[in-house]
Amino acid sequence: MTDVVTPPTSPVSRERSKEIKRLSVISAARQVRVLSRAELTELTGLSPATLTPLVRGLIAEGYLIERGPGASRAGRPRAMLEFNPRAELVAAVSLEPSRITCEIADSDGAVVAHRTVRLTGDIVDLICRSVPELAGDGLPALRGVAIAAPGVSSGGAVRLAPSVGLVEGRPIGESVQRRLGVPVVLDNDVNLMAAGEHAAGAGADVADLLLLHVADGIGAGLVLDGQVRRGAGGAAGEVGFLPLDPADRGHDGVGPFEARWSENAIAERVVALAPGRRPESPVRALVELAGADERAAAYLDEVLHAWSRLIVSCVCVADPGRVLLSGAAAELDAAAVDRLQALVAAAAPSATEVRRAILGDRAVLHGAVSYALSAAAAGLPTLLPAP
């Protein structure tokens, strides 16, 4: 008797197969922007019979807009389709000392709405109220939320972020995802800055970089082989905890290095050198003061030496090739950047270029939009950062 061999069942369900094809059409349209149905067929490899209902559905959803006929070298002009970036909206939320900034952006990264509110009450309640209010009528198009937080982020939880009241781990991401019903990714704010600069800023032309961000604390974002690296526990880049003295382990979530060389520490020293109100931009004020005050010039050199040692320590481990100065560090003038470059070059074991980041506050948005869209496209069920 001959055994009957039953063909294996496809591991991909019919609905999942349809969704994969739908996403391939969206991806092709997003890349080309304006194209014909024939060009969609060529780009996706889908047959016209398969493509027709998908295109009809995407027009109904608002992803595609029917335009007039395009130019044709021969035959009847073809009706054109245009991708609508407003069909996909994402929310970028940045947790900052005393406030949260929320922005709604389309899939091009164009900001649709922006709001900053005081950080009062429960953080999750504030986020879950602010995002829908800001999205307004566009809420049905919301595809994902990316939350940038200081401190260490792992699995949607945040810790070691005293500036926003989160010293112990709290599952912020999970709570927001459950209440808003869309994929949520949560990551360290400096990681998002690094991702943004790599996507659209001063690191867009390289695969490896380190972003050094100086603010109330000091943190670093590391991109290697085009991917943000976070470490086993999400604490990669917490360079503010670099020890200065064996007996100093930091306190209240503040690392020993950042306690001495952060923007806050520099502000205190500037006020001591030039009594008065705390300057809004302490590093810029120090650079200006150093031009006329020998004590300020000597202190600026101390700062540059300290930051160079930090950079060299990172270079010894990760060899990023390029270091971007962000936050208060980006306020150094050209002469100070050149001095920092020289200090790094004299001590680093490999060639390392030091330059300013260029996106400023927009770096977080660029990184958050990329994260949120990746999460939405993948349908992430967890709070891990998007790849």
Side-chain angles (χ1 to χ4, degrees):
M1 181 176 178
T2 304
D3 292 334
V4 176
V5 179
T6 303
T9 303
S10 171
V12 181
S13 69
R14 181 174 298 180
E15 285 302 314
R16 181 57 179 161
S17 176
K18 180 180 178 180
E19 181 62 14
I20 290 172
K21 294 171 183 176
R22 174 179 171 277
L23 291 175
S24 72
V25 174
I26 292 174
S27 177
R30 182 188 292 119
Q31 182 177 358
V32 181
R33 293 310 172 106
V34 179
L35 71 176
S36 67
R37 286 171 171 79
E39 289 171 320
L40 263 179
T41 299
E42 294 175 6
L43 289 170
T44 62
L46 300 175
S47 68
T50 299
L51 197 62
T52 296
L54 291 173
V55 168
R56 188 182 302 122
L58 290 173
I59 291 174
E61 292 177 50
Y63 276 93
L64 297 176
I65 300 172
E66 290 187 287
R67 299 300 187 194
S72 177
R73 294 180 180 177
R76 189 173 64 182
R78 297 170 175 173
M80 305 300 289
L81 300 167
E82 181 179 354
F83 177 73
N84 176 22
R86 293 293 176 89
E88 294 178 316
L89 299 179
V90 294
V93 178
S94 178
L95 305 183
E96 306 163 44
S98 76
R99 67 180 187 175
I100 72 166
T101 297
C102 180
E103 293 184 322
I104 306 296
D106 66 18
S107 61
D108 284 342
V111 177
V112 177
H114 172 100
R115 178 182 296 171
T116 297
V117 298
R118 289 183 59 195
L119 183 56
T120 59
D122 183 76
I123 286 180
V124 172
D125 288 342
L126 191 56
I127 294 172
C128 293
R129 184 172 66 250
S130 298
V131 169
E133 287 179 357
L134 197 57
D137 294 340
L139 187 59
L142 189 68
R143 298 291 182 263
V145 177
I147 302 173
V152 177
S153 303
S154 181
V158 182
R159 62 186 178 89
L160 294 179
S163 63
V164 293
L166 296 170
V167 177
E168 301 298 328
R170 184 183 173 192
I172 301 294
E174 179 182 355
S175 300
V176 173
Q177 180 167 290
R178 185 171 58 249
R179 289 176 56 175
L180 293 183
V182 295
V184 173
V185 289
L186 186 149
D187 204 358
N188 173 267
D189 51 1
V190 182
N191 283 344
L192 282 165
M193 292 174 196
E197 289 286 348
H198 180 252
D205 60 330
V206 294
D208 307 293
L209 65 88
L210 178 86
L211 181 138
L212 179 65
H213 185 73
V214 177
D216 294 339
I218 298 180
L222 181 64
V223 176
L224 295 177
D225 297 325
Q227 300 293 323
V228 174
R229 304 299 179 180
R230 301 171 183 85
E238 289 296 322
V239 295
F241 285 81
L242 186 73
L244 297 175
D245 184 284
D248 190 353
R249 298 181 181 275
H251 54 87
D252 296 330
V254 178
F257 188 91
E258 61 194 4
R260 184 170 177 182
W261 301 111
S262 68
E263 186 176 30
N264 282 342
I266 292 171
E268 291 179 6
R269 189 66 175 272
V270 168
V271 171
L273 290 167
R277 297 180 60 185
R278 170 185 164 133
E280 291 186 6
S281 303
V283 172
R284 183 176 290 116
L286 174 61
V287 170
E288 293 174 358
L289 192 61
D293 188 305
E294 291 184 1
R295 296 174 304 158
Y299 177 59
L300 174 59
D301 204 48
E302 287 182 44
V303 172
L304 296 178
H305 271 87
W307 288 357
S308 72
R309 290 194 300 273
L310 179 61
I311 291 171
V312 170
S313 297
C314 295
V315 170
C316 289
V317 176
D319 188 19
R322 179 175 296 175
V323 173
L324 303 180
L325 305 175
S326 174
E331 296 172 2
L332 294 174
D333 65 3
V337 173
D338 288 345
R339 172 64 170 154
L340 185 58
Q341 173 71 78
L343 291 170
V344 170
S350 59
T352 304
E353 179 186 20
V354 179
R355 61 165 70 175
R356 298 185 194 88
I358 62 174
L359 296 180
D361 293 341
R362 311 310 300 164
V364 172
L365 174 64
H366 280 284
V369 167
S370 175
Y371 272 37
L373 286 175
S374 296
L380 291 180
T382 68
L383 287 306
L384 296 176

